[in-house]
């Protein structure tokens, strides 16, 4: 028993001394009977296990292989408590056990299968335990079994709930390089059992991110739609498209699709008319699905409307899984509490900030900026990872990757001798202070990505592919955020045009934001430096957390559920892992 427990039970200890003192003063021949009565009154004849041991745990796990995966966590939990039981006080189960079992029963609300966590019939074990007499020695072993079963079951569930059903680091095809979610589940369990304080809502068995909780609420709504039959396909008949002003039977089915749960009188002529209100609903649908909001129904809009509710449910569940992979602490303590979030399928960048000093779990990161971005083409997909921005580079050189040198630059030079000059490019050595190399001295027909010993770079200027600035968070992918001279592409709805880097719609806004703690770098000086045409590196006083993520479904601030196309096929691969 630890000192806190001794302090807690001091009055009981005094009472025990008094009672036993009275009993010892009894000189009659019935002293043993009197002592027995005192023990009976105090419950000291009750058989109750107070601890277990590593050998017993090992034997128990060997009989239940489904607990084997988290064996290390089980030993950590019991080792930290000198193998004292966790779910009992004396011979009685603590209330937290009921909360755990109730959570397991409702696991489907989290997109999880309750049957996965019912390795042993804990409810039956508890009933059997309660039926045994308090003096029955069989209770001792059953008590240990219940305690270990509850602990192991918690780890099975909590691992899926907090860290994900699959570990993206161990599943290559998932392609997720965001920093690890390093949640310590044995510490979380200590919090649940009220033995440790935490700013995170472990005791409530609650999620760590609002993005997850919002999708969980959406999941319930879509499941209710599924129970009611989902939605019928919109059939256009002989038409290729429906537009405002059309009158047709197909308009009725369109109206039904966009007004789920509302009774539509198909015989009412007004319901067959594609009016202003229906056009507004179509545009709202298109906005929520990343489609050009032209109010016309056909092609991609029709295809998207006819995606079955079952598919949308799976899509929501897959994105809930991705939220489980996001670190519980979005921004490390050592950094300013701000982060840049690029959602690749949405073609959007957001900046979130919380200047308060509140605990991490209570922080409310507010959106302070958003802008459109251009991401990689399917063949040059932008990787999913996280890192820390360290530098802003003004009037940058573009160091052309060797893969592009082989596939684009070398063929261009062979077609046109003046290609490099026209692109404002030069060939230099790969060293700290590069020296120029005569491009005529190179056999461009033999150049490959792996054998090219030099570097092709594009000089600063209006033709530079990186535009006026770039934002570096050094990483193995050589990916960064940057300006672009082709601003017209931001008007496109589908913006996959780059070789993997992320192009920014308003780079000056981001530059002013990340440099705001360096007042000497105001907008005027930034522009002056860019116009000078000489590359300048600025080291940020504090690194900024950056996430490049892949969410094809999310809920916005107004509660609207968004869906996007699986532009790189990541959903398809994750679907195979989760549902096949």
């Amino acid at each position: 028993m630890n000192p806190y427990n001794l302090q807690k039970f001091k009055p009981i200890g005094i009472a025990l001394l008094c009672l036993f003192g009275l009993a010892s003063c009894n000189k009659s021949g019935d002293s043993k009977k009197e002592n027995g009565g005192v023990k009976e009154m105090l419950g000291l004849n009750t058989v109750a296990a107070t601890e277990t041991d590593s050998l017993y745990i090992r034997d128990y796990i060997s009989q239940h292989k489904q607990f084997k995966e988290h064996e290390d966590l089980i030993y950590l939990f019991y080792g930290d408590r000198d193998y004292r039981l966790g779910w009992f006080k004396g011979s009685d189960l603590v209330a937290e056990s009921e909360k755990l079992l109730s959570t397991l029963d409702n696991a489907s609300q989290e997109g999880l299968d309750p049957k996965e966590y019912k390795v042993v019939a804990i409810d039956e074990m508890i009933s059997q335990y309660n039926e045994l007499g308090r003096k029955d020695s069989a209770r001792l072993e059953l008590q240990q079994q219940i305690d270990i079963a509850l602990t192991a079951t918690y780890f099975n569930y909590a691992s899926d709930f907090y860290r994900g059903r699959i570990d993206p680091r161990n599943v290559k095809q998932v392609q997720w390089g965001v920093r690890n979610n390093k949640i310590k589940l044995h510490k979380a369990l200590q919090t649940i059992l009220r033995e440790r304080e935490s700013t995170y809502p472990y005791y409530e068995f609650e999620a760590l991110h609002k993005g997850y909780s919002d999708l969980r609420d959406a999941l319930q709504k879509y499941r209710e739609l599924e129970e009611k039959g989902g939605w019928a396909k919109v059939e256009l008949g002989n038409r290729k498209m429906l537009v405002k002003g059309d009158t047709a039977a197909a308009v009725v089915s369109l109206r039904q699709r966009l007004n789920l749960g509302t009774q539509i009188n198909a015989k009412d002529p007004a319901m067959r008319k594609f009016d202003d209100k229906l056009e507004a609903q179509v545009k709202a649908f298109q906005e929520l699905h990343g489609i050009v909001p032209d109010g016309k129904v056909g092609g991609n809009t029709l295809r998207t409307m006819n995606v079955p509710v079952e598919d949308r449910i799976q899509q929501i569940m897959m994105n809930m899984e991705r939220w489980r992979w996001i670190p519980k602490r979005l921004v490390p303590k050592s950094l300013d509490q701000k982060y840049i979030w690029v959602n690749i399928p949405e073609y959007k960048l957001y900046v979130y900030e919380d200047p308060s000093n509140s605990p991490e779990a209570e922080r409310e990161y507010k959106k302070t900026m958003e802008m459109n971005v251009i991401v990689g083409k399917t063949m040059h997909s932008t990787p999913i990872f996280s890192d820390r921005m360290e530098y802003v580079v003004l009037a940058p050189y573009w160091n052309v990757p060797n893969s592009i040198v082989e596939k684009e630059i070398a063929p261009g030079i062979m077609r046109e001798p003046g290609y490099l000059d026209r692109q404002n490019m030069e060939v230099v050595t790969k060293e700290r202070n590069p020296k120029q190399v005569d491009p005529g001295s190179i056999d461009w027909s033999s150049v490959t990505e792996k054998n090219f010993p030099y570097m092709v770079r594009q000089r600063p200027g209006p033709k530079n592919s990186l535009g006026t600035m770039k934002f570096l968070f050094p990483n193995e992918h050589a990916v960064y955020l940057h300006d672009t001279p082709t601003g017209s592409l931001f008007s496109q709805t589908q913006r996959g045009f780059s070789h993997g880097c992320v192009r920014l719609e308003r780079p000056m806004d981001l530059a002013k934001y990340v440099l705001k703690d360096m007042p000497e770098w105001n907008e005027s000086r930034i522009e002056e430096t860019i116009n000078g045409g000489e590359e300048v590196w600025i080291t940020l006083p504090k690194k900024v957390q950056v996430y490049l993520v892949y969410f094809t479904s999310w809920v916005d601030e107004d509660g609207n559920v968004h869906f996007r196309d699986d532009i790189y096929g990541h959903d398809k691969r994750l679907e195979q892992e989760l549902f096949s």
Side-chain angles (χ1 to χ4, degrees):
M1 184 177 291
N2 63 41
Y4 299 101
N5 289 337
L6 287 172
Q7 186 69 24
K8 182 177 179 180
F9 292 109
K10 185 182 287 184
I12 296 176
I14 294 172
L16 284 169
L17 288 173
C18 292
L19 286 167
F20 281 117
L22 290 170
S24 64
C25 291
N26 189 337
K27 304 296 183 181
S28 70
D30 292 334
S31 61
K32 291 183 179 179
K33 182 177 179 181
E34 293 292 335
N35 282 333
V38 170
K39 290 181 179 180
E40 186 72 37
M41 181 173 65
L42 295 174
L44 297 181
N45 286 336
T46 298
V47 176
T50 58
E51 61 184 43
T52 185
D53 58 63
S54 59
L55 291 177
Y56 190 91
I57 292 172
R58 184 192 66 186
D59 290 343
Y60 187 80
I61 293 175
S62 69
Q63 298 171 37
H64 303 90
K65 301 297 184 183
Q66 298 95 322
F67 293 147
K68 184 74 175 175
E69 180 181 357
H70 303 298
E71 184 176 15
D72 290 347
L73 283 171
I74 297 171
Y75 284 123
L76 271 175
F77 172 72
Y78 283 107
D80 281 355
R81 61 194 302 106
D82 296 327
Y83 288 88
R84 287 182 297 108
L85 301 187
W87 299 87
F88 285 88
K89 282 189 176 178
S91 60
D92 296 323
L93 276 163
V94 296
E96 288 74 17
S97 61
E98 293 183 15
K99 200 163 190 175
L100 171 61
L101 296 177
S102 175
T103 298
L104 298 179
D105 287 339
N106 294 306
S108 60
Q109 295 179 7
E110 311 294 339
L112 303 173
D113 185 353
K115 296 192 294 293
E116 291 288 322
Y117 311 107
K118 296 186 178 180
V119 175
V120 294
I122 298 178
D123 289 323
E124 294 179 14
M125 293 168 68
I126 292 173
S127 296
Q128 182 184 353
Y129 176 80
N130 290 332
E131 289 171 3
L132 291 172
R134 286 185 172 266
K135 299 178 184 178
D136 195 327
S137 59
R139 277 186 124 212
L140 281 170
E141 182 164 1
L142 189 53
Q143 190 177 16
Q144 289 185 75
Q145 291 177 5
I146 291 171
D147 204 272
I148 298 168
L150 285 168
T151 298
T153 298
Y154 170 76
F155 288 138
N156 277 3
Y157 172 79
S159 179
D160 286 359
F161 177 60
Y162 285 120
R163 299 194 298 202
R165 288 173 56 191
I166 65 173
D167 184 344
R169 295 168 297 176
N170 297 332
V171 184
K172 184 178 180 181
Q173 55 267 38
V174 170
Q175 297 180 28
W176 183 271
V178 174
R179 63 194 182 94
N180 299 340
N181 183 4
K182 296 180 180 179
I183 182 172
K184 297 178 180 178
L185 293 178
H186 66 295
K187 298 293 185 184
L189 181 51
Q190 291 172 9
T191 302
I192 286 171
L193 296 173
R194 309 296 184 112
E195 297 172 351
R196 178 178 175 270
E197 294 296 324
S198 175
T199 57
Y200 295 95
Y202 299 132
Y203 179 69
E204 299 300 327
F205 293 89
E206 190 48 87
L208 302 178
H209 299 294
K210 186 177 185 299
Y212 174 95
S213 302
D214 289 344
L215 280 176
R216 177 178 59 194
D217 294 342
L219 177 64
Q220 305 316 310
K221 294 176 184 177
Y222 275 75
R223 280 179 168 167
E224 290 170 7
L225 286 173
E226 182 184 31
E227 290 174 3
K228 294 175 183 177
W231 49 74
K233 289 184 68 175
V234 178
E235 303 283 0
L236 300 189
N238 295 327
R239 294 172 177 266
K240 291 184 177 181
M241 184 172 293
L242 283 177
V243 298
K244 186 176 71 171
D246 285 347
T247 299
V251 176
V252 177
S253 65
L254 172 62
R255 200 178 295 277
Q256 289 171 330
R257 171 66 180 87
L258 297 178
N259 294 274
L260 298 173
T262 301
Q263 291 293 329
I264 303 293
N265 182 2
K267 296 181 180 180
D268 183 353
M271 296 297 99
R272 298 167 59 90
K273 179 77 171 178
F274 196 141
D275 55 19
D276 290 341
K277 183 178 179 180
L278 187 57
E279 183 191 45
Q281 289 182 320
V282 171
K283 288 181 177 180
F285 177 90
Q286 291 169 326
E287 291 275 8
L288 294 176
H289 293 79
I291 303 170
V292 177
D294 58 9
K296 300 175 182 179
V297 179
N300 193 31
T301 297
L302 183 64
R303 177 190 64 80
T304 304
M305 281 186 177
N306 288 335
V307 172
V309 67
E310 294 82 6
D311 289 5
R312 292 306 189 198
I313 286 172
Q314 285 198 348
Q315 191 171 356
I316 291 171
M317 290 171 66
M318 285 187 285
N319 286 281
M320 289 171 68
E321 175 75 0
R322 290 187 176 112
W323 270 111
R324 298 181 185 119
W325 302 339
I326 297 292
K328 65 175 182 177
R329 185 181 294 280
L330 283 165
V331 184
K333 291 180 181 179
S334 60
L335 303 184
D336 284 342
Q337 294 308 304
K338 65 182 73 164
Y339 64 93
I340 295 168
W341 182 270
V342 177
N343 187 19
I344 297 166
E346 188 186 2
Y347 309 106
K348 275 289 188 80
L349 174 147
Y350 299 92
V351 177
Y352 293 92
E353 182 175 0
D354 179 8
S356 71
N357 292 317
S358 57
E360 170 74 14
E362 298 172 14
R363 287 199 181 112
E364 290 190 20
Y365 289 95
K366 301 293 185 182
K367 182 171 65 180
T368 60
M369 186 186 303
E370 69 175 89
M371 69 180 73
N372 291 332
V373 299
I374 290 169
V375 300
K377 308 170 188 176
T378 303
M379 295 300 294
H380 301 283
S381 60
T382 298
I384 301 164
F385 70 103
S386 60
D387 218 302
R388 301 175 185 184
M389 184 183 294
E390 299 182 42
Y391 310 102
V392 177
V393 183
L394 303 179
Y397 281 98
W398 176 39
N399 300 321
V400 184
N402 278 5
S403 58
I404 299 177
V405 171
E406 176 187 354
K407 295 175 183 176
E408 299 179 25
I409 304 298
I413 293 171
M414 287 187 288
R415 284 195 312 268
E416 178 188 349
Y419 178 87
L420 288 177
D421 289 335
R422 189 166 59 80
Q423 297 295 329
N424 197 27
M425 289 180 174
E426 60 186 7
V427 183
V428 296
T429 56
K430 291 181 178 179
E431 53 192 9
R432 189 176 185 86
N433 296 305
K435 297 180 180 63
Q436 285 206 1
V437 176
D438 179 6
S441 66
I442 300 170
D443 179 9
W444 292 101
S445 64
S446 65
V447 166
T448 68
E449 177 180 354
K450 294 182 179 179
N451 72 8
F452 189 57
Y454 307 117
M455 178 169 63
V456 175
R457 66 180 185 179
Q458 191 173 37
R459 303 180 189 94
K463 290 185 178 181
N464 190 286
S465 296
L466 305 185
T468 59
M469 64 187 76
K470 64 180 177 180
F471 303 81
L472 297 183
F473 34 102
N475 57 82
E476 62 179 314
H477 310 285
V479 163
Y480 41 86
L481 313 179
H482 65 87
D483 183 19
T484 176
T486 53
S488 60
L489 294 177
F490 290 105
S491 62
Q492 302 285 333
T493 302
Q494 307 293 320
R495 295 188 292 276
F497 301 114
S498 82
H499 282 88
C501 288
V502 178
R503 305 178 193 172
L504 304 176
E505 182 182 34
R506 302 195 316 276
M508 179 62 81
D509 288 352
L510 185 60
K512 289 189 294 183
Y513 178 81
V514 299
L515 295 173
K516 65 182 179 180
D517 293 332
M518 304 175 74
E520 66 274 22
W521 282 105
N522 55 30
E523 184 171 357
S524 177
R525 187 180 176 191
I526 292 172
E527 289 181 343
E528 181 182 336
T529 303
I530 291 169
N531 293 333
E534 294 291 330
E535 185 178 76
V536 174
W537 285 54
I538 306 170
T539 302
L540 298 179
K542 270 197 174 182
K543 299 175 183 178
V544 180
Q545 184 66 52
V546 179
Y547 289 96
L548 274 62
V549 294
Y550 194 92
F551 284 90
T552 58
S553 182
W554 67 92
V555 180
D556 65 24
E557 292 122 329
D558 297 322
N560 300 308
V561 186
H562 290 250
F563 295 99
R564 290 295 185 275
D565 286 342
D566 180 24
I567 59 175
Y568 295 158
H570 293 322
D571 273 9
K572 186 175 182 180
R573 289 186 284 273
L574 182 55
E575 179 184 354
Q576 293 173 348
E577 293 295 323
L578 292 179
F579 305 117
S580 63

